[in-house]
PDB file of all heavy atoms in Angstrom:
ATOM      1  N   GLY W   1      -9.002  -1.180 -18.004  1.00 84.00           N
ATOM      2  CA  GLY W   1      -8.064  -1.017 -19.034  1.00 84.00           C
ATOM      3  C   GLY W   1      -7.133   0.241 -18.856  1.00 84.00           C
ATOM      4  O   GLY W   1      -6.099   0.333 -19.468  1.00 84.00           O
ATOM      5  N   THR W   2      -7.609   1.188 -18.127  1.00 89.00           N
ATOM      6  CA  THR W   2      -6.815   2.369 -17.879  1.00 89.00           C
ATOM      7  C   THR W   2      -6.325   2.470 -16.451  1.00 89.00           C
ATOM      8  O   THR W   2      -5.311   3.157 -16.191  1.00 89.00           O
ATOM      9  CB  THR W   2      -7.502   3.695 -18.230  1.00 89.00           C
ATOM     10  OG1 THR W   2      -8.794   3.709 -17.597  1.00 89.00           O
ATOM     11  CG2 THR W   2      -7.736   3.792 -19.729  1.00 89.00           C
ATOM     12  N   VAL W   3      -7.077   1.889 -15.564  1.00 91.00           N
ATOM     13  CA  VAL W   3      -6.679   1.965 -14.102  1.00 91.00           C
ATOM     14  C   VAL W   3      -6.227   0.589 -13.646  1.00 91.00           C
ATOM     15  O   VAL W   3      -6.944  -0.365 -13.823  1.00 91.00           O
ATOM     16  CB  VAL W   3      -7.914   2.388 -13.254  1.00 91.00           C
ATOM     17  CG1 VAL W   3      -7.563   2.359 -11.824  1.00 91.00           C
ATOM     18  CG2 VAL W   3      -8.318   3.837 -13.653  1.00 91.00           C
ATOM     19  N   ASP W   4      -5.018   0.546 -13.201  1.00 93.00           N
ATOM     20  CA  ASP W   4      -4.411  -0.639 -12.540  1.00 93.00           C
ATOM     21  C   ASP W   4      -4.528  -0.519 -11.057  1.00 93.00           C
ATOM     22  O   ASP W   4      -4.348   0.582 -10.501  1.00 93.00           O
ATOM     23  CB  ASP W   4      -3.004  -0.840 -12.948  1.00 93.00           C
ATOM     24  CG  ASP W   4      -2.906  -1.136 -14.449  1.00 93.00           C
ATOM     25  OD1 ASP W   4      -3.787  -1.707 -15.020  1.00 93.00           O
ATOM     26  OD2 ASP W   4      -1.824  -0.806 -15.035  1.00 93.00           O
ATOM     27  N   LEU W   5      -4.751  -1.626 -10.387  1.00 96.00           N
ATOM     28  CA  LEU W   5      -4.828  -1.621  -8.906  1.00 96.00           C
ATOM     29  C   LEU W   5      -3.852  -2.633  -8.318  1.00 96.00           C
ATOM     30  O   LEU W   5      -3.938  -3.808  -8.750  1.00 96.00           O
ATOM     31  CB  LEU W   5      -6.303  -1.980  -8.490  1.00 96.00           C
ATOM     32  CG  LEU W   5      -6.571  -2.136  -7.004  1.00 96.00           C
ATOM     33  CD1 LEU W   5      -6.218  -0.870  -6.234  1.00 96.00           C
ATOM     34  CD2 LEU W   5      -7.969  -2.599  -6.780  1.00 96.00           C
ATOM     35  N   VAL W   6      -3.032  -2.161  -7.434  1.00 97.00           N
ATOM     36  CA  VAL W   6      -2.194  -3.041  -6.707  1.00 97.00           C
ATOM     37  C   VAL W   6      -2.694  -3.107  -5.298  1.00 97.00           C
ATOM     38  O   VAL W   6      -2.839  -2.094  -4.569  1.00 97.00           O
ATOM     39  CB  VAL W   6      -0.711  -2.456  -6.676  1.00 97.00           C
ATOM     40  CG1 VAL W   6       0.162  -3.379  -5.790  1.00 97.00           C
ATOM     41  CG2 VAL W   6      -0.185  -2.358  -8.068  1.00 97.00           C
ATOM     42  N   VAL W   7      -3.078  -4.283  -4.877  1.00 98.00           N
ATOM     43  CA  VAL W   7      -3.545  -4.488  -3.485  1.00 98.00           C
ATOM     44  C   VAL W   7      -2.394  -5.112  -2.640  1.00 98.00           C
ATOM     45  O   VAL W   7      -1.878  -6.175  -3.034  1.00 98.00           O
ATOM     46  CB  VAL W   7      -4.817  -5.423  -3.431  1.00 98.00           C
ATOM     47  CG1 VAL W   7      -5.225  -5.679  -2.068  1.00 98.00           C
ATOM     48  CG2 VAL W   7      -5.914  -4.817  -4.306  1.00 98.00           C
ATOM     49  N   VAL W   8      -2.000  -4.448  -1.582  1.00 98.00           N
ATOM     50  CA  VAL W   8      -0.845  -4.853  -0.760  1.00 98.00           C
ATOM     51  C   VAL W   8      -1.407  -5.792   0.357  1.00 98.00           C
ATOM     52  O   VAL W   8      -2.146  -5.291   1.214  1.00 98.00           O
ATOM     53  CB  VAL W   8      -0.130  -3.681  -0.208  1.00 98.00           C
ATOM     54  CG1 VAL W   8       1.064  -4.121   0.640  1.00 98.00           C
ATOM     55  CG2 VAL W   8       0.320  -2.738  -1.335  1.00 98.00           C
ATOM     56  N   PRO W   9      -1.042  -7.053   0.364  1.00 97.00           N
ATOM     57  CA  PRO W   9      -1.520  -7.987   1.362  1.00 97.00           C
ATOM     58  C   PRO W   9      -1.178  -7.563   2.732  1.00 97.00           C
ATOM     59  O   PRO W   9       0.029  -7.104   2.991  1.00 97.00           O
ATOM     60  CB  PRO W   9      -0.868  -9.318   0.999  1.00 97.00           C
ATOM     61  CG  PRO W   9      -0.407  -9.160  -0.388  1.00 97.00           C
ATOM     62  CD  PRO W   9      -0.142  -7.710  -0.653  1.00 97.00           C
ATOM     63  N   GLY W  10      -2.002  -7.687   3.699  1.00 95.00           N
ATOM     64  CA  GLY W  10      -1.762  -7.410   5.059  1.00 95.00           C
ATOM     65  C   GLY W  10      -1.616  -5.947   5.454  1.00 95.00           C
ATOM     66  O   GLY W  10      -1.320  -5.663   6.635  1.00 95.00           O
ATOM     67  N   ALA W  11      -1.793  -5.046   4.522  1.00 97.00           N
ATOM     68  CA  ALA W  11      -1.624  -3.627   4.832  1.00 97.00           C
ATOM     69  C   ALA W  11      -2.956  -2.948   4.973  1.00 97.00           C
ATOM     70  O   ALA W  11      -3.911  -3.275   4.305  1.00 97.00           O
ATOM     71  CB  ALA W  11      -0.855  -2.946   3.709  1.00 97.00           C
ATOM     72  N   ASP W  12      -2.987  -1.961   5.855  1.00 96.00           N
ATOM     73  CA  ASP W  12      -4.116  -1.072   5.923  1.00 96.00           C
ATOM     74  C   ASP W  12      -3.786   0.266   5.330  1.00 96.00           C
ATOM     75  O   ASP W  12      -2.615   0.452   4.827  1.00 96.00           O
ATOM     76  CB  ASP W  12      -4.749  -0.942   7.317  1.00 96.00           C
ATOM     77  CG  ASP W  12      -3.771  -0.314   8.343  1.00 96.00           C
ATOM     78  OD1 ASP W  12      -2.872   0.430   7.875  1.00 96.00           O
ATOM     79  OD2 ASP W  12      -3.963  -0.550   9.522  1.00 96.00           O
ATOM     80  N   HIS W  13      -4.672   1.214   5.364  1.00 91.00           N
ATOM     81  CA  HIS W  13      -4.424   2.479   4.740  1.00 91.00           C
ATOM     82  C   HIS W  13      -3.158   3.180   5.341  1.00 91.00           C
ATOM     83  O   HIS W  13      -2.282   3.693   4.592  1.00 91.00           O
ATOM     84  CB  HIS W  13      -5.606   3.412   4.936  1.00 91.00           C
ATOM     85  CG  HIS W  13      -5.543   4.716   4.255  1.00 91.00           C
ATOM     86  ND1 HIS W  13      -5.751   4.971   2.952  1.00 91.00           N
ATOM     87  CD2 HIS W  13      -5.106   5.926   4.755  1.00 91.00           C
ATOM     88  CE1 HIS W  13      -5.597   6.217   2.626  1.00 91.00           C
ATOM     89  NE2 HIS W  13      -5.127   6.841   3.711  1.00 91.00           N
ATOM     90  N   VAL W  14      -3.067   3.279   6.611  1.00 95.00           N
ATOM     91  CA  VAL W  14      -1.980   3.977   7.281  1.00 95.00           C
ATOM     92  C   VAL W  14      -0.632   3.272   7.028  1.00 95.00           C
ATOM     93  O   VAL W  14       0.435   3.912   6.997  1.00 95.00           O
ATOM     94  CB  VAL W  14      -2.250   4.113   8.796  1.00 95.00           C
ATOM     95  CG1 VAL W  14      -1.108   4.756   9.528  1.00 95.00           C
ATOM     96  CG2 VAL W  14      -3.498   4.961   9.021  1.00 95.00           C
ATOM     97  N   ASP W  15      -0.630   1.928   6.968  1.00 96.00           N
ATOM     98  CA  ASP W  15       0.624   1.196   6.698  1.00 96.00           C
ATOM     99  C   ASP W  15       1.337   1.729   5.503  1.00 96.00           C
ATOM    100  O   ASP W  15       2.578   1.696   5.424  1.00 96.00           O
ATOM    101  CB  ASP W  15       0.350  -0.307   6.551  1.00 96.00           C
ATOM    102  CG  ASP W  15       0.004  -1.018   7.835  1.00 96.00           C
ATOM    103  OD1 ASP W  15       0.404  -0.460   8.926  1.00 96.00           O
ATOM    104  OD2 ASP W  15      -0.739  -1.993   7.814  1.00 96.00           O
ATOM    105  N   LEU W  16       0.601   2.088   4.472  1.00 94.00           N
ATOM    106  CA  LEU W  16       1.227   2.522   3.233  1.00 94.00           C
ATOM    107  C   LEU W  16       1.862   3.886   3.297  1.00 94.00           C
ATOM    108  O   LEU W  16       2.578   4.340   2.444  1.00 94.00           O
ATOM    109  CB  LEU W  16       0.207   2.462   2.058  1.00 94.00           C
ATOM    110  CG  LEU W  16      -0.278   1.048   1.775  1.00 94.00           C
ATOM    111  CD1 LEU W  16      -1.369   1.032   0.724  1.00 94.00           C
ATOM    112  CD2 LEU W  16       0.865   0.142   1.379  1.00 94.00           C
ATOM    113  N   TYR W  17       1.605   4.627   4.433  1.00 94.00           N
ATOM    114  CA  TYR W  17       2.293   5.865   4.770  1.00 94.00           C
ATOM    115  C   TYR W  17       3.486   5.598   5.645  1.00 94.00           C
ATOM    116  O   TYR W  17       4.526   6.226   5.508  1.00 94.00           O
ATOM    117  CB  TYR W  17       1.372   6.813   5.470  1.00 94.00           C
ATOM    118  CG  TYR W  17       0.302   7.455   4.540  1.00 94.00           C
ATOM    119  CD1 TYR W  17      -0.982   6.925   4.564  1.00 94.00           C
ATOM    120  CD2 TYR W  17       0.584   8.472   3.691  1.00 94.00           C
ATOM    121  CE1 TYR W  17      -1.974   7.442   3.756  1.00 94.00           C
ATOM    122  CE2 TYR W  17      -0.398   9.008   2.826  1.00 94.00           C
ATOM    123  CZ  TYR W  17      -1.650   8.510   2.937  1.00 94.00           C
ATOM    124  OH  TYR W  17      -2.651   9.025   2.131  1.00 94.00           O
ATOM    125  N   ASP W  18       3.348   4.687   6.536  1.00 93.00           N
ATOM    126  CA  ASP W  18       4.323   4.544   7.644  1.00 93.00           C
ATOM    127  C   ASP W  18       5.283   3.343   7.501  1.00 93.00           C
ATOM    128  O   ASP W  18       6.339   3.331   8.096  1.00 93.00           O
ATOM    129  CB  ASP W  18       3.589   4.336   9.008  1.00 93.00           C
ATOM    130  CG  ASP W  18       2.785   5.537   9.368  1.00 93.00           C
ATOM    131  OD1 ASP W  18       3.100   6.631   8.878  1.00 93.00           O
ATOM    132  OD2 ASP W  18       1.896   5.380  10.242  1.00 93.00           O
ATOM    133  N   ARG W  19       4.975   2.357   6.646  1.00 95.00           N
ATOM    134  CA  ARG W  19       5.795   1.238   6.463  1.00 95.00           C
ATOM    135  C   ARG W  19       6.339   1.071   5.066  1.00 95.00           C
ATOM    136  O   ARG W  19       5.713   0.505   4.187  1.00 95.00           O
ATOM    137  CB  ARG W  19       5.013  -0.018   6.868  1.00 95.00           C
ATOM    138  CG  ARG W  19       4.597  -0.008   8.329  1.00 95.00           C
ATOM    139  CD  ARG W  19       4.258  -1.319   8.929  1.00 95.00           C
ATOM    140  NE  ARG W  19       5.157  -2.329   8.532  1.00 95.00           N
ATOM    141  CZ  ARG W  19       4.739  -3.598   8.434  1.00 95.00           C
ATOM    142  NH1 ARG W  19       3.516  -3.965   8.734  1.00 95.00           N
ATOM    143  NH2 ARG W  19       5.627  -4.547   8.115  1.00 95.00           N
ATOM    144  N   LYS W  20       7.531   1.604   4.884  1.00 95.00           N
ATOM    145  CA  LYS W  20       8.163   1.599   3.558  1.00 95.00           C
ATOM    146  C   LYS W  20       8.337   0.227   3.018  1.00 95.00           C
ATOM    147  O   LYS W  20       8.328  -0.044   1.798  1.00 95.00           O
ATOM    148  CB  LYS W  20       9.476   2.286   3.591  1.00 95.00           C
ATOM    149  CG  LYS W  20       9.380   3.806   3.667  1.00 95.00           C
ATOM    150  CD  LYS W  20      10.777   4.390   3.607  1.00 95.00           C
ATOM    151  CE  LYS W  20      10.769   5.879   3.772  1.00 95.00           C
ATOM    152  NZ  LYS W  20      12.122   6.454   3.728  1.00 95.00           N
ATOM    153  N   ASP W  21       8.520  -0.768   3.923  1.00 96.00           N
ATOM    154  CA  ASP W  21       8.732  -2.121   3.526  1.00 96.00           C
ATOM    155  C   ASP W  21       7.503  -2.756   2.835  1.00 96.00           C
ATOM    156  O   ASP W  21       7.634  -3.757   2.116  1.00 96.00           O
ATOM    157  CB  ASP W  21       9.178  -3.012   4.741  1.00 96.00           C
ATOM    158  CG  ASP W  21       8.101  -3.046   5.814  1.00 96.00           C
ATOM    159  OD1 ASP W  21       7.672  -1.958   6.258  1.00 96.00           O
ATOM    160  OD2 ASP W  21       7.754  -4.159   6.239  1.00 96.00           O
ATOM    161  N   LEU W  22       6.348  -2.134   2.976  1.00 96.00           N
ATOM    162  CA  LEU W  22       5.120  -2.658   2.341  1.00 96.00           C
ATOM    163  C   LEU W  22       4.835  -1.926   1.048  1.00 96.00           C
ATOM    164  O   LEU W  22       4.039  -2.470   0.209  1.00 96.00           O
ATOM    165  CB  LEU W  22       3.933  -2.497   3.280  1.00 96.00           C
ATOM    166  CG  LEU W  22       3.980  -3.301   4.565  1.00 96.00           C
ATOM    167  CD1 LEU W  22       2.784  -3.000   5.439  1.00 96.00           C
ATOM    168  CD2 LEU W  22       4.011  -4.793   4.221  1.00 96.00           C
ATOM    169  N   VAL W  23       5.442  -0.789   0.753  1.00 96.00           N
ATOM    170  CA  VAL W  23       5.129  -0.045  -0.470  1.00 96.00           C
ATOM    171  C   VAL W  23       5.749  -0.786  -1.640  1.00 96.00           C
ATOM    172  O   VAL W  23       6.948  -1.083  -1.681  1.00 96.00           O
ATOM    173  CB  VAL W  23       5.664   1.374  -0.367  1.00 96.00           C
ATOM    174  CG1 VAL W  23       5.450   2.148  -1.644  1.00 96.00           C
ATOM    175  CG2 VAL W  23       5.059   2.097   0.835  1.00 96.00           C
ATOM    176  N   PRO W  24       4.947  -1.055  -2.689  1.00 96.00           N
ATOM    177  CA  PRO W  24       5.418  -1.792  -3.830  1.00 96.00           C
ATOM    178  C   PRO W  24       6.201  -0.903  -4.822  1.00 96.00           C
ATOM    179  O   PRO W  24       5.758  -0.589  -5.895  1.00 96.00           O
ATOM    180  CB  PRO W  24       4.167  -2.350  -4.455  1.00 96.00           C
ATOM    181  CG  PRO W  24       3.133  -1.302  -4.132  1.00 96.00           C
ATOM    182  CD  PRO W  24       3.498  -0.863  -2.746  1.00 96.00           C
TER     183      PRO W  24
END
């Protein structure tokens, strides 16, 4: 109820630093 989680399909941890196209 207080924490929302967005799971990005096909991404690993590093992708969310390096691939702006995957960041929601």
